């Protein structure tokens, strides 16, 4: 509210912020014809699995990797963690040296460019994604997002 008032000159009791990023990938396997969703930016691919693995390991895995250190440092939001020199350097090192090399090639995608995009998203203070939300349910998140690349790197 303060941002909207100060930057835009409006009083808004419930402003909604979003980010410029969007990615919607669907497997091109429709039994009765395909909807024309490419008109709104949908990317149709023959196999969605490589994209799903990329998202799970890079985006979800990065959240899972940063959240507990951020919570121990009493940081409130993901963008605060990305501003922290130790957490951001640790996360970048883990992604570039452990996670990304564990992901098979994704068609027409540079995984390091995708990681840089995710870093920018995580650093966006307008999203205000909470560390508490990301820490929630860690017992089910860690096995899905952290353990597989660790096991593959052993």
């Amino acid at each position: 509210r303060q941002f909207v008032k100060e930057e835009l000159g409006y009083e808004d009791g419930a402003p909604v912020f979003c980010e410029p990023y969007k990615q919607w990938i669907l497997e091109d396997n429709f039994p009765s014809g395909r909807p024309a969703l490419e008109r709104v930016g949908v990317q149709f691919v023959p196999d969605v699995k490589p994209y799903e693995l990329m998202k799970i390991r890079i985006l979800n895995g990065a959240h899972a990797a940063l959240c507990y250190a951020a919570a121990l440092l009493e940081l409130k939001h993901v963008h605060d963690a990305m501003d922290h020199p130790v957490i951001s350097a640790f996360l970048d090192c883990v992604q570039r040296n452990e996670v990304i090399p564990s992901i098979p090639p994704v068609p027409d995608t540079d995984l390091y460019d995708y990681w840089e995009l995710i870093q920018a998203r995580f650093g966006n203070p307008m999203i205000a994604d909470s560390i508490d939300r990301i820490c929630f349910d860690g017992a089910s998140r860690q096995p899905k997002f952290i353990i597989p690349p660790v096991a593959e790197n052993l």
Side-chain angles (χ1 to χ4, degrees):
R1 289 181 240 185
Q2 181 180 349
F3 174 83
V4 172
K5 184 176 181 179
E6 291 174 4
E7 298 295 321
L8 305 175
Y10 294 102
E11 293 274 345
D12 189 333
V16 176
F17 295 98
C18 64
E19 59 183 318
Y21 174 81
K22 67 177 179 177
Q23 184 177 36
W24 190 6
I25 298 175
L26 294 177
E27 197 161 285
D28 196 358
N29 185 15
F30 294 87
S32 300
R34 175 169 57 134
L37 296 173
E38 64 273 1
R39 288 189 276 175
V40 293
V42 172
Q43 180 182 354
F44 290 101
V45 298
D47 182 11
V48 76
K49 287 181 182 69
Y51 300 90
E52 180 181 23
L53 183 64
M54 173 184 74
K55 186 257 185 193
I56 286 171
R57 293 224 176 148
I58 295 177
L59 188 148
N60 298 106
H63 268 161
L66 73 76
C67 67
Y68 299 108
L72 289 170
L73 290 168
E74 299 181 350
L75 301 175
K76 299 297 178 204
H77 297 101
V78 172
H79 66 269
D80 298 324
M82 295 306 288
D83 285 340
H84 192 280
V86 174
I87 293 176
S88 61
F90 161 75
L91 190 59
D92 191 55
C93 181
V94 166
Q95 289 293 320
R96 290 181 185 281
N97 298 311
E98 304 293 333
V99 175
I100 292 172
S102 78
I103 303 170
V106 178
D108 301 318
T109 303
D110 181 304
L111 296 173
Y112 294 95
D113 288 347
Y114 182 74
W115 166 234
E116 289 179 16
L117 176 69
I118 298 305
Q119 285 179 297
R121 291 180 67 200
F122 283 8
N124 183 349
M126 300 310 289
I127 303 304
D129 196 1
S130 76
I131 296 297
D132 288 344
R133 181 192 74 78
I134 297 167
C135 285
F136 181 76
D137 199 23
S140 72
R141 291 174 184 231
Q142 295 297 318
K144 290 187 284 191
F145 307 142
I146 300 296
I147 302 303
V150 169
E152 289 174 22
N153 283 312
L154 290 177

